Amino acid sequence: MEASPALSRIGLAGLAVMGQNLALNIAEKGFPISVYNRTTSKVDETVDRAVNEGNLPLSGQYTPKDFVLSLQRPRSVIILVKAGAPVDQTIAALSAYMEPGDAIIDGGNEWYENTERRIHEASAKGLLYLGMGVSGGEEGARHGPSLMPGGSHQAYSNVQDILHKVAAQVEDGPCVTYIGQGGSGNFVKMVHNGIEYGDMQLISEAYDVFLVEITADIFKVKDDLADGFLVDKLLDKTGMKGTGKWTVQQAAELSVAAPTIAASLDCRYLSGLKEERESAEEALKQAGFKEEIGNVTSGIDKKRLIDDVRQALYASKICSYAQGMNLLRAKSMEKGWNLNLGELARIWKGGCIIRAVFLDRIKNAYQRNQGLPNLVVDPDFAKEMVQRQAAWRRVVGLAVAAGISTPGMCASLSYFDTYRRARLPANLVQAQRDLFGAHTYERVDRPGSFHTEWTKLAQKSSGVGVLN
C-alpha cells in the first residue's frame, strides 16, 4: 500500500501574482504548503516556480476538498483573492470541508466591516478568522512583506511562527504583530494605504517643483520604445483601488482632520480628467493665462531649492502621518481595539511601500508618550517642524507664485498652521451658524448654550438692514 504524502503545514488559495509570491516565500522559509486556485493552470504555474526556485516544499491541489484535506490540523488557510464577493465564494467552497478549530486568513485589501461579518459567520461554524493586511506588493510578498493580522488571537497564535519568518525583518524584529480584534488588521492596512497616497502625492509635488534630479530607480529607466526616459511618457492619469477613498470617508465619519490624504485623493480624481484638463489649458490660454514659472524661478539658487524641497517634503510627510495615526487612534477608541501606534510604525519599517526613514522616530515618539495627541507636539518632531518651517513656506510660496499645484504640501502646511494656533476664527463660523440656523453657541467666559437674534440686534444698533 502506498504511503500517504505528508500533510502541509499551511494552505494558500488564490494564485495571482501576490498569492504565488507569498506561497513561495512560505515554502522557502521551510514550511510545507499546499496551494489551490480555481483556474488550474495557475496551480501548475506555481508548482513549476517552486521546482525552479530550489525544489521548495509546495504541493498543488486541484479541488477544494483535496486542498483542505492536504493540511495538518488545526488547519490554517490563507485566501488571496479579489476583495468582496470572491472572498465569500472562496470561503463557502473551502469551509464545506473545514472543521471546528480550523482558521481562515484573508490577505486581501478588504473593507473592515466585511471582515467583522465573516468573523461572526465563521464562528457560527466553529472556525477562526483573521483579516490580514499584506503590504509590499509582489516584491514584498516574495521576499518579506509587512503583515497586519487582526481578528482571532488563536488563529494568529497557530501561524505566528510562519508569519514571523515570512515577514520582512528589521533590526528590532519581524514586520508583523497581532493588531487587535475584529477588522482592525484591515483597518490598519487601509490607513497605511491612505498614508501611502499622501506620500506618493507629496513626492510627485517635490518632483514637480524642480523636476527633482534624484537617482531614484524610476528616473533611471530609459524608454525602450522611443527617445528619453520612460517616466515622461507615462499617461498622467492615476489609478486607485479604493483604500484611499475609504480612509478619507472614515476620517470624515470620525471627525478626524486628514487634509493631506484627502488632497492626494482629490488629485487622483482630477488626474483622471485628462481630456478636460487639456481643454482647460487651451481655454485659459485663450483667455490670456500666462505661465509664470520662468519669471518666478529665474535667479533661484538651485542647490538651496533642492534642500528647501527636501525639508518641505519631510515636514509635509510628518503631518500626513500624524493624520493617519490620529485616525487609527480614533477608530481604536470607537471599537475598543487597543491599537499600539508605536508598534504599527515599527512593522511598517520593512517590506511595505511607505517604509519611511522616520518610522523609527514615530515608534519612539509613541513609546515616550502613548497618549501623544499629535506627532507634531512630540518634543523631537516639534523641533524638526520648527527647523523646517521656513524652507517649507518658501517652497509652497514659490509653487503658488509659479502656478505649480502643490495641494498635498499646502494641505499639510495649513494643517500645521491651524493645529498650532490656540485661537481660530471658528468663533465667527459659530456666529454664522447661529444666525442662519439658530444652532446656538458657547462662550469663552461662562458655561451653557446661547442663542442671539443677530439680524434684529444689528438692525436695531445701526438702524438699517444688514442682510437684504
Side-chain angles (χ1 to χ4, degrees), residues 110-118 183 250 331 335:
E110 189 55 271
W111 173 236
Y112 83 99
E113 287 181 339
N114 284 342
T115 296
E116 302 205 323
R117 165 177 62 79
R118 290 176 188 136
Q250 280 293 298
K331 194 67 179 182
K335 302 287 286 182

Side-chain angles (χ1 to χ4, degrees), residues 286-302:
Q286 285 174 9
F289 185 86
K290 288 188 174 59
E291 289 285 5
E292 293 295 331
I293 293 178
N295 301 339
V296 174
T297 56
S298 63
I300 274 182
D301 178 342
K302 187 82 179 290

Side-chain angles (χ1 to χ4, degrees), residues 130 149 152-161 163-164 176-178:
L130 277 181
S152 159
H153 192 273
Q154 184 58 54
Y156 173 73
S157 299
N158 292 352
V159 291
Q160 185 177 346
D161 59 333
L163 300 183
H164 275 218
V176 59
T177 191
Y178 173 70

Side-chain angles (χ1 to χ4, degrees), residues 188-434:
V188 166
K189 174 60 165 53
M190 175 196 85
V191 175
H192 159 284
N193 285 17
I195 292 172
E196 194 177 279
Y197 271 51
D199 261 15
M200 291 158 77
Q201 176 62 28
L202 291 166
I203 290 165
S204 73
E205 290 173 19
Y207 154 75
D208 203 24
V209 170
F210 63 92
L211 296 171
V212 196
E213 289 164 1
I214 50 177
T215 55
D217 292 345
I218 285 175
F219 295 100
K220 289 181 190 164
V221 178
K222 289 262 174 57
D223 188 354
D224 57 357
L225 300 177
D227 288 343
F229 291 93
L230 181 58
V231 69
D232 298 320
K233 309 290 191 328
L234 267 59
L235 181 65
D236 53 328
K237 281 172 75 165
T238 313
M240 64 189 83
K241 286 278 178 65
T243 43
K245 182 178 175 180
W246 292 344
T247 304
V248 173
Q249 286 171 333
Q250 280 293 298
E253 294 268 330
L254 291 158
S255 306
V256 172
T260 313
I261 299 170
S264 68
L265 185 68
D266 287 341
C267 280
R268 292 197 183 195
Y269 294 148
L270 284 166
S271 81
L273 306 176
K274 176 69 172 170
E275 293 74 21
E276 282 185 42
R277 289 187 289 110
E278 287 173 339
S279 304
E281 183 177 329
E282 201 46 52
L284 287 160
K285 253 186 205 157
Q286 285 174 9
F289 185 86
K290 288 188 174 59
E291 289 285 5
E292 293 295 331
I293 293 178
N295 301 339
V296 174
T297 56
S298 63
I300 274 182
D301 178 342
K302 187 82 179 290
K303 206 157 176 272
R304 179 176 158 187
L305 177 61
I306 289 175
D307 189 55
D308 277 359
V309 172
R310 188 176 287 119
Q311 298 198 52
L313 180 58
Y314 185 92
S316 298
K317 277 187 168 199
I318 291 172
C319 290
S320 184
Y321 280 67
Q323 294 159 30
M325 289 301 190
N326 287 354
L327 174 52
L328 288 172
R329 175 194 285 110
K331 194 67 179 182
S332 181
M333 285 164 72
E334 181 197 76
K335 302 287 286 182
W337 284 338
N338 200 21
L339 296 181
N340 180 334
L341 300 182
E343 182 67 353
L344 298 184
R346 187 192 69 76
I347 67 167
W348 292 345
K349 279 162 56 179
C352 72
I353 293 166
I354 54 181
R355 229 176 3 209
V357 285
F358 54 75
L359 282 166
D360 217 30
R361 292 180 215 174
I362 294 177
K363 179 193 81 170
N364 295 339
Y366 286 113
Q367 279 179 344
R368 276 193 293 272
N369 177 6
Q370 269 194 316
L372 184 69
N374 194 297
L375 282 176
V376 303
V377 296
D378 168 73
D380 285 6
F381 279 128
K383 271 193 209 109
E384 298 201 306
M385 298 298 278
V386 172
Q387 286 162 1
R388 286 167 172 76
Q389 65 157 346
W392 194 9
R393 294 179 198 287
R394 282 195 295 270
V395 170
V396 169
L398 179 75
V400 170
I404 299 169
S405 82
T406 50
M409 283 188 188
C410 288
S412 280
L413 184 55
S414 296
Y415 176 80
F416 175 70
D417 281 338
T418 307
Y419 188 72
R420 68 178 176 77
R421 285 182 63 186
R423 186 156 170 86
L424 292 169
N427 54 322
L428 188 59
V429 175
Q430 285 302 83
Q432 292 173 86
R433 290 180 74 241
D434 191 48

Side-chain angles (χ1 to χ4, degrees), residues 21-89:
N21 282 4
L22 191 61
L24 292 165
N25 182 352
I26 292 168
E28 190 175 62
K29 300 301 184 297
F31 300 103
I33 182 169
S34 295
V35 298
Y36 166 73
N37 196 80
R38 267 196 340 189
T39 313
T40 54
S41 60
K42 291 282 184 197
V43 178
D44 295 336
E45 205 178 291
T46 313
V47 170
D48 288 347
R49 281 187 67 188
V51 171
N52 295 334
E53 294 182 26
N55 273 329
L56 303 175
L58 180 146
S59 66
Q61 305 294 333
Y62 295 90
T63 69
K65 184 179 182 181
D66 289 346
F67 171 64
V68 172
L69 297 181
S70 73
L71 306 175
Q72 287 175 24
R73 294 195 58 200
R75 302 180 183 96
S76 298
V77 174
I78 298 173
I79 294 175
L80 268 171
V81 299
K82 202 168 183 282
V87 178
D88 292 306
Q89 289 153 10

